[in-house]
């Protein structure tokens, strides 16, 4: 049984959209190898971040799950990053703690849960055998369902955890103050929603269903629905998928 919390329970409420699914099926299934997960912690108020943002955009088509988490702890300099959220900063602190880092910083790249100080050029593709299989399906315009199944011959740790993100391409800002004043910034893979999906005990190959209700899509911006399954102790990616459905 999942570790219960009220907000996790709300995220996992059963949904019924059979008619939509039958007529507009959009789904993806993970492969035998771990899909790499790249996280970038960035800020529009950080002068060293634009090169990292540009590098992240180059990962389009890489087959990775890519996520740009904007943090707000540089807002005090004079420019408020409209894409930042306290939850993203909390996640960065969690990542830092798992990596034994004394503090957080930007830009910070994280590959499969591990700090990646040298973030360029394009990192190698994943070849490590997956420890979980994921099938992700769109149930409605903003409703998604995933089935996570542990791989029998590669047992997980005693428990596994997961989180959802919504990422979008093609955002930009004309920065008016702070370290990047006067700069026109372009962003892809911008995290617009981050929702932890709970922690679950490993019970052989028993599948676990996760249901997610996303925020509405932003017109004019391609979006990806991502699910990352990871080891809650180390943060290591066990498997991940990214789904992009027609608007």
């Amino acid at each position: 049984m999942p570790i219960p919390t009220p907000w996790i329970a709300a995220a996992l409420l059963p949904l019924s959209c059979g008619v939509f699914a039958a007529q507009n099926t959009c789904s993806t299934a993970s492969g035998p190898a771990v899909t790499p997960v790249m996280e970038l912690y960035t800020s529009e108020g950080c002068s060293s971040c634009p090169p990292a943002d540009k590098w992240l955009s180059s990962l389009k088509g890489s087959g990775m799950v890519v996520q740009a988490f904007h943090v707000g702890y540089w807002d005090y300099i004079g420019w408020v990053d409209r894409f930042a959220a306290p939850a993203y900063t909390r996640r960065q602190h969690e990542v830092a703690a798992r990596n034994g880092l004394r503090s957080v910083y930007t830009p910070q790249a994280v590959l499969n849960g591990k700090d990646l100080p040298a973030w360029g050029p394009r990192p190698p593709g994943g070849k490590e055998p997956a420890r979980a299989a994921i099938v992700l399906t769109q149930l409605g315009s903003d409703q998604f369902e995933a089935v996570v199944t542990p791989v029998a011959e590669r047992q997980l740790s005693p428990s596994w955890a997961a989180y959802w993100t919504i990422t979008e391409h093609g955002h930009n800002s004309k920065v008016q103050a702070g370290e990047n004043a006067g700069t026109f910034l372009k962003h892809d893979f911008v995290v617009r929603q981050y929702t932890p999906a709970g922690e679950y005990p490993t019970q052989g190959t028993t599948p676990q269903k996760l249901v997610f209700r996303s925020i509405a899509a932003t017109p004019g911006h391609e979006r990806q629905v991502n699910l990352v399954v990871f080891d809650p102790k180390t943060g290591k990616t066990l498997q991940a998928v990214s789904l992009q459905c027609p608007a």
Side-chain angles (χ1 to χ4, degrees):
M1 293 295 292
I3 295 175
T5 63
W7 53 269
I8 291 175
L12 303 180
L13 287 174
L15 300 171
S16 177
C17 300
V19 174
F20 180 95
Q23 297 178 353
N24 303 279
T25 300
C26 179
S27 65
T28 188
S30 61
V34 173
T35 298
V37 176
M38 178 65 70
E39 302 170 58
L40 177 68
Y41 292 90
T42 184
S43 171
E44 290 188 338
C46 157
S47 62
S48 57
C49 286
D53 295 332
K54 183 177 180 180
W55 163 75
L56 201 74
S57 293
S58 75
L59 298 182
K60 288 182 178 179
S62 66
M64 306 175 71
V65 172
V66 183
Q67 303 166 117
F69 288 91
H70 285 236
V71 296
Y73 48 79
W74 295 117
D75 289 358
Y76 77 94
I77 295 177
W79 178 257
V80 175
D81 190 329
R82 62 194 173 99
F83 300 113
Y88 308 163
T89 302
R90 287 195 296 270
R91 173 164 178 79
Q92 188 183 21
H93 279 281
E94 292 169 0
V95 170
R98 291 191 184 109
N99 281 270
L101 303 179
R102 294 183 177 181
S103 62
V104 295
Y105 66 96
T106 56
Q108 180 190 16
V110 178
L111 178 61
N112 293 331
K114 293 296 183 182
D115 183 47
L116 188 70
W119 39 261
R122 178 171 294 194
K127 297 183 181 300
E128 182 179 352
R131 296 193 177 187
I134 306 172
V135 177
L136 173 58
T137 304
Q138 184 180 33
L139 301 180
S141 59
D142 300 316
Q143 301 169 7
F144 301 86
E145 176 184 279
V147 177
V148 179
T149 306
V151 177
E153 59 270 27
R154 293 184 289 274
Q155 285 297 307
L156 306 181
S157 55
S159 65
W160 56 271
Y163 69 86
W164 300 88
T165 59
I166 294 292
T167 53
E168 292 179 343
H169 291 326
H171 285 284
N172 56 71
S173 297
K174 180 64 180 294
V175 180
Q176 304 293 335
E179 292 185 349
N180 290 318
T183 305
F184 183 74
L185 301 179
K186 298 180 180 181
H187 307 300
D188 293 308
F189 300 107
V190 180
V191 175
R192 305 307 310 277
Q193 182 178 2
Y194 164 62
T195 304
E199 184 176 333
Y200 302 83
T202 302
Q203 299 176 331
T205 58
T206 302
Q208 175 67 49
K209 182 184 294 185
L210 306 177
V211 179
F212 172 60
R213 185 184 293 274
S214 75
I215 59 174
T218 305
H221 298 277
E222 295 179 30
R223 79 166 181 173
Q224 303 79 43
V225 180
N226 311 297
L227 178 66
V228 179
V229 176
F230 64 98
D231 185 318
K233 290 187 177 180
T234 65
K236 182 178 180 179
T237 302
L238 303 176
Q239 189 52 292
V241 292
S242 183
L243 179 64
Q244 184 168 320
C245 297

mmCIF file of all heavy atoms in Angstrom, residues 40-70:
data_model
loop_
_atom_site.group_PDB
_atom_site.id
_atom_site.type_symbol
_atom_site.label_atom_id
_atom_site.label_comp_id
_atom_site.label_asym_id
_atom_site.label_seq_id
_atom_site.Cartn_x
_atom_site.Cartn_y
_atom_site.Cartn_z
ATOM 1 N N LEU A 40 17.770 20.608 -14.704
ATOM 2 C CA LEU A 40 18.576 21.823 -14.612
ATOM 3 C C LEU A 40 17.907 22.761 -13.630
ATOM 4 O O LEU A 40 16.717 23.062 -13.765
ATOM 5 C CB LEU A 40 18.704 22.516 -15.981
ATOM 6 C CG LEU A 40 19.483 23.834 -15.956
ATOM 7 C CD1 LEU A 40 20.955 23.586 -15.648
ATOM 8 C CD2 LEU A 40 19.325 24.592 -17.276
ATOM 9 N N TYR A 41 18.657 23.216 -12.657
ATOM 10 C CA TYR A 41 18.171 24.218 -11.705
ATOM 11 C C TYR A 41 18.746 25.554 -12.152
ATOM 12 O O TYR A 41 19.968 25.737 -12.211
ATOM 13 C CB TYR A 41 18.570 23.838 -10.276
ATOM 14 C CG TYR A 41 17.829 22.598 -9.845
ATOM 15 C CD1 TYR A 41 18.361 21.329 -10.074
ATOM 16 C CD2 TYR A 41 16.561 22.681 -9.272
ATOM 17 C CE1 TYR A 41 17.663 20.175 -9.732
ATOM 18 C CE2 TYR A 41 15.851 21.538 -8.933
ATOM 19 C CZ TYR A 41 16.405 20.296 -9.165
ATOM 20 O OH TYR A 41 15.696 19.162 -8.839
ATOM 21 N N THR A 42 17.849 26.468 -12.496
ATOM 22 C CA THR A 42 18.241 27.690 -13.175
ATOM 23 C C THR A 42 17.408 28.851 -12.664
ATOM 24 O O THR A 42 16.438 28.664 -11.913
ATOM 25 C CB THR A 42 18.075 27.523 -14.701
ATOM 26 O OG1 THR A 42 18.553 28.691 -15.375
ATOM 27 C CG2 THR A 42 16.616 27.289 -15.073
ATOM 28 N N SER A 43 17.778 30.058 -13.052
ATOM 29 C CA SER A 43 17.039 31.248 -12.648
ATOM 30 C C SER A 43 17.274 32.361 -13.652
ATOM 31 O O SER A 43 18.395 32.532 -14.164
ATOM 32 C CB SER A 43 17.489 31.713 -11.255
ATOM 33 O OG SER A 43 16.922 32.976 -10.942
ATOM 34 N N GLU A 44 16.208 33.127 -13.933
ATOM 35 C CA GLU A 44 16.360 34.282 -14.806
ATOM 36 C C GLU A 44 17.157 35.393 -14.129
ATOM 37 O O GLU A 44 17.599 36.331 -14.795
ATOM 38 C CB GLU A 44 14.984 34.804 -15.223
ATOM 39 C CG GLU A 44 14.247 33.877 -16.163
ATOM 40 C CD GLU A 44 12.984 34.475 -16.733
ATOM 41 O OE1 GLU A 44 12.429 35.414 -16.121
ATOM 42 O OE2 GLU A 44 12.551 34.010 -17.799
ATOM 43 N N GLY A 45 17.362 35.289 -12.823
ATOM 44 C CA GLY A 45 18.146 36.286 -12.112
ATOM 45 C C GLY A 45 19.612 35.931 -11.977
ATOM 46 O O GLY A 45 20.357 36.635 -11.300
ATOM 47 N N CYS A 46 20.036 34.868 -12.617
ATOM 48 C CA CYS A 46 21.410 34.353 -12.501
ATOM 49 C C CYS A 46 22.146 34.597 -13.808
ATOM 50 O O CYS A 46 21.747 34.076 -14.857
ATOM 51 C CB CYS A 46 21.346 32.860 -12.158
ATOM 52 S SG CYS A 46 22.792 31.893 -12.595
ATOM 53 N N SER A 47 23.226 35.371 -13.775
ATOM 54 C CA SER A 47 23.935 35.753 -14.999
ATOM 55 C C SER A 47 24.649 34.585 -15.666
ATOM 56 O O SER A 47 24.923 34.621 -16.869
ATOM 57 C CB SER A 47 24.940 36.867 -14.703
ATOM 58 O OG SER A 47 25.917 36.426 -13.771
ATOM 59 N N SER A 48 24.955 33.536 -14.916
ATOM 60 C CA SER A 48 25.651 32.388 -15.499
ATOM 61 C C SER A 48 24.687 31.318 -16.004
ATOM 62 O O SER A 48 25.126 30.284 -16.529
ATOM 63 C CB SER A 48 26.612 31.772 -14.471
ATOM 64 O OG SER A 48 25.921 31.395 -13.290
ATOM 65 N N CYS A 49 23.386 31.563 -15.881
ATOM 66 C CA CYS A 49 22.401 30.552 -16.267
ATOM 67 C C CYS A 49 22.038 30.526 -17.751
ATOM 68 O O CYS A 49 21.735 29.448 -18.281
ATOM 69 C CB CYS A 49 21.129 30.710 -15.438
ATOM 70 S SG CYS A 49 21.308 30.155 -13.718
ATOM 71 N N PRO A 50 22.016 31.663 -18.479
ATOM 72 C CA PRO A 50 21.611 31.600 -19.889
ATOM 73 C C PRO A 50 22.378 30.588 -20.734
ATOM 74 O O PRO A 50 21.760 29.895 -21.553
ATOM 75 C CB PRO A 50 21.808 33.044 -20.375
ATOM 76 C CG PRO A 50 21.519 33.859 -19.142
ATOM 77 C CD PRO A 50 22.135 33.068 -18.024
ATOM 78 N N PRO A 51 23.712 30.441 -20.580
ATOM 79 C CA PRO A 51 24.391 29.390 -21.368
ATOM 80 C C PRO A 51 23.880 27.994 -21.045
ATOM 81 O O PRO A 51 23.781 27.149 -21.947
ATOM 82 C CB PRO A 51 25.866 29.560 -20.976
ATOM 83 C CG PRO A 51 25.985 30.975 -20.533
ATOM 84 C CD PRO A 51 24.691 31.271 -19.831
ATOM 85 N N ALA A 52 23.557 27.753 -19.777
ATOM 86 C CA ALA A 52 23.035 26.443 -19.394
ATOM 87 C C ALA A 52 21.636 26.238 -19.964
ATOM 88 O O ALA A 52 21.286 25.135 -20.401
ATOM 89 C CB ALA A 52 23.016 26.307 -17.871
ATOM 90 N N ASP A 53 20.826 27.296 -19.977
ATOM 91 C CA ASP A 53 19.493 27.205 -20.576
ATOM 92 C C ASP A 53 19.598 26.863 -22.064
ATOM 93 O O ASP A 53 18.830 26.029 -22.577
ATOM 94 C CB ASP A 53 18.737 28.526 -20.407
ATOM 95 C CG ASP A 53 18.448 28.861 -18.955
ATOM 96 O OD1 ASP A 53 18.335 27.933 -18.143
ATOM 97 O OD2 ASP A 53 18.328 30.064 -18.643
ATOM 98 N N LYS A 54 20.538 27.501 -22.751
ATOM 99 C CA LYS A 54 20.730 27.240 -24.181
ATOM 100 C C LYS A 54 21.176 25.799 -24.401
ATOM 101 O O LYS A 54 20.719 25.124 -25.323
ATOM 102 C CB LYS A 54 21.760 28.219 -24.745
ATOM 103 C CG LYS A 54 21.977 28.089 -26.241
ATOM 104 C CD LYS A 54 22.953 29.134 -26.749
ATOM 105 C CE LYS A 54 23.158 28.995 -28.249
ATOM 106 N NZ LYS A 54 24.113 30.029 -28.773
ATOM 107 N N TRP A 55 22.082 25.331 -23.551
ATOM 108 C CA TRP A 55 22.542 23.939 -23.646
ATOM 109 C C TRP A 55 21.384 22.976 -23.458
ATOM 110 O O TRP A 55 21.259 21.986 -24.183
ATOM 111 C CB TRP A 55 23.626 23.687 -22.605
ATOM 112 C CG TRP A 55 23.867 22.224 -22.343
ATOM 113 C CD1 TRP A 55 24.542 21.347 -23.161
ATOM 114 C CD2 TRP A 55 23.422 21.468 -21.221
ATOM 115 N NE1 TRP A 55 24.540 20.087 -22.603
ATOM 116 C CE2 TRP A 55 23.863 20.128 -21.409
ATOM 117 C CE3 TRP A 55 22.712 21.789 -20.073
ATOM 118 C CZ2 TRP A 55 23.584 19.121 -20.492
ATOM 119 C CZ3 TRP A 55 22.451 20.777 -19.153
ATOM 120 C CH2 TRP A 55 22.886 19.473 -19.358
ATOM 121 N N LEU A 56 20.501 23.278 -22.490
ATOM 122 C CA LEU A 56 19.383 22.383 -22.231
ATOM 123 C C LEU A 56 18.485 22.282 -23.457
ATOM 124 O O LEU A 56 17.984 21.193 -23.781
ATOM 125 C CB LEU A 56 18.583 22.866 -21.019
ATOM 126 C CG LEU A 56 17.728 21.789 -20.336
ATOM 127 C CD1 LEU A 56 18.602 20.837 -19.550
ATOM 128 C CD2 LEU A 56 16.690 22.416 -19.420
ATOM 129 N N SER A 57 18.286 23.398 -24.151
ATOM 130 C CA SER A 57 17.456 23.380 -25.355
ATOM 131 C C SER A 57 18.036 22.451 -26.417
ATOM 132 O O SER A 57 17.295 21.887 -27.226
ATOM 133 C CB SER A 57 17.313 24.792 -25.926
ATOM 134 O OG SER A 57 16.566 25.621 -25.046
ATOM 135 N N SER A 58 19.360 22.272 -26.413
ATOM 136 C CA SER A 58 19.999 21.397 -27.402
ATOM 137 C C SER A 58 19.683 19.931 -27.158
ATOM 138 O O SER A 58 19.977 19.084 -28.013
ATOM 139 C CB SER A 58 21.528 21.603 -27.379
ATOM 140 O OG SER A 58 22.123 20.980 -26.230
ATOM 141 N N LEU A 59 19.068 19.605 -26.025
ATOM 142 C CA LEU A 59 18.740 18.217 -25.719
ATOM 143 C C LEU A 59 17.407 17.778 -26.317
ATOM 144 O O LEU A 59 16.970 16.650 -26.090
ATOM 145 C CB LEU A 59 18.722 18.009 -24.200
ATOM 146 C CG LEU A 59 20.045 18.247 -23.472
ATOM 147 C CD1 LEU A 59 19.905 17.962 -21.985
ATOM 148 C CD2 LEU A 59 21.160 17.404 -24.074
ATOM 149 N N LYS A 60 16.750 18.655 -27.065
ATOM 150 C CA LYS A 60 15.536 18.238 -27.765
ATOM 151 C C LYS A 60 15.867 17.073 -28.696
ATOM 152 O O LYS A 60 16.868 17.101 -29.412
ATOM 153 C CB LYS A 60 14.952 19.391 -28.578
ATOM 154 C CG LYS A 60 14.296 20.487 -27.764
ATOM 155 C CD LYS A 60 13.701 21.546 -28.674
ATOM 156 C CE LYS A 60 12.994 22.635 -27.912
ATOM 157 N NZ LYS A 60 12.432 23.674 -28.813
ATOM 158 N N GLY A 61 15.041 16.065 -28.672
ATOM 159 C CA GLY A 61 15.267 14.911 -29.529
ATOM 160 C C GLY A 61 16.289 13.932 -29.013
ATOM 161 O O GLY A 61 16.634 12.973 -29.707
ATOM 162 N N SER A 62 16.774 14.147 -27.795
ATOM 163 C CA SER A 62 17.806 13.273 -27.232
ATOM 164 C C SER A 62 17.248 11.962 -26.702
ATOM 165 O O SER A 62 18.005 11.032 -26.425
ATOM 166 C CB SER A 62 18.541 13.997 -26.095
ATOM 167 O OG SER A 62 17.659 14.226 -25.002
ATOM 168 N N GLY A 63 15.924 11.896 -26.513
ATOM 169 C CA GLY A 63 15.340 10.709 -25.912
ATOM 170 C C GLY A 63 15.364 10.717 -24.399
ATOM 171 O O GLY A 63 14.907 9.766 -23.760
ATOM 172 N N MET A 64 15.884 11.788 -23.827
ATOM 173 C CA MET A 64 15.940 11.920 -22.380
ATOM 174 C C MET A 64 14.658 12.576 -21.860
ATOM 175 O O MET A 64 13.929 13.219 -22.617
ATOM 176 C CB MET A 64 17.147 12.778 -21.972
ATOM 177 C CG MET A 64 18.477 12.305 -22.515
ATOM 178 S SD MET A 64 19.829 13.444 -22.105
ATOM 179 C CE MET A 64 19.974 13.159 -20.361
ATOM 180 N N VAL A 65 14.409 12.433 -20.574
ATOM 181 C CA VAL A 65 13.411 13.251 -19.894
ATOM 182 C C VAL A 65 14.151 14.463 -19.357
ATOM 183 O O VAL A 65 15.042 14.328 -18.514
ATOM 184 C CB VAL A 65 12.717 12.482 -18.756
ATOM 185 C CG1 VAL A 65 11.822 13.421 -17.948
ATOM 186 C CG2 VAL A 65 11.880 11.333 -19.321
ATOM 187 N N VAL A 66 13.818 15.639 -19.868
ATOM 188 C CA VAL A 66 14.562 16.865 -19.559
ATOM 189 C C VAL A 66 13.639 17.842 -18.848
ATOM 190 O O VAL A 66 12.501 18.060 -19.276
ATOM 191 C CB VAL A 66 15.136 17.493 -20.843
ATOM 192 C CG1 VAL A 66 15.971 18.722 -20.520
ATOM 193 C CG2 VAL A 66 15.961 16.463 -21.615
ATOM 194 N N GLN A 67 14.155 18.459 -17.764
ATOM 195 C CA GLN A 67 13.324 19.328 -16.933
ATOM 196 C C GLN A 67 14.134 20.519 -16.445
ATOM 197 O O GLN A 67 15.212 20.348 -15.874
ATOM 198 C CB GLN A 67 12.798 18.541 -15.722
ATOM 199 C CG GLN A 67 12.020 17.299 -16.105
ATOM 200 C CD GLN A 67 11.808 16.351 -14.928
ATOM 201 O OE1 GLN A 67 10.691 16.098 -14.529
ATOM 202 N NE2 GLN A 67 12.888 15.824 -14.377
ATOM 203 N N ALA A 68 13.616 21.722 -16.672
ATOM 204 C CA ALA A 68 14.255 22.944 -16.183
ATOM 205 C C ALA A 68 13.454 23.468 -14.997
ATOM 206 O O ALA A 68 12.369 24.027 -15.171
ATOM 207 C CB ALA A 68 14.330 23.992 -17.286
ATOM 208 N N PHE A 69 13.984 23.276 -13.807
ATOM 209 C CA PHE A 69 13.356 23.768 -12.580
ATOM 210 C C PHE A 69 13.886 25.173 -12.295
ATOM 211 O O PHE A 69 15.075 25.334 -11.982
ATOM 212 C CB PHE A 69 13.681 22.855 -11.398
ATOM 213 C CG PHE A 69 13.003 21.515 -11.414
ATOM 214 C CD1 PHE A 69 13.616 20.414 -12.005
ATOM 215 C CD2 PHE A 69 11.755 21.345 -10.824
ATOM 216 C CE1 PHE A 69 13.001 19.163 -11.998
ATOM 217 C CE2 PHE A 69 11.131 20.104 -10.815
ATOM 218 C CZ PHE A 69 11.755 19.014 -11.412
ATOM 219 N N HIS A 70 13.025 26.177 -12.386
ATOM 220 C CA HIS A 70 13.435 27.543 -12.057
ATOM 221 C C HIS A 70 13.270 27.773 -10.558
ATOM 222 O O HIS A 70 12.234 27.432 -9.979
ATOM 223 C CB HIS A 70 12.587 28.552 -12.832
ATOM 224 C CG HIS A 70 12.963 28.649 -14.277
ATOM 225 N ND1 HIS A 70 13.313 29.832 -14.883
ATOM 226 C CD2 HIS A 70 13.062 27.689 -15.244
ATOM 227 C CE1 HIS A 70 13.594 29.617 -16.155
ATOM 228 N NE2 HIS A 70 13.449 28.330 -16.403
#
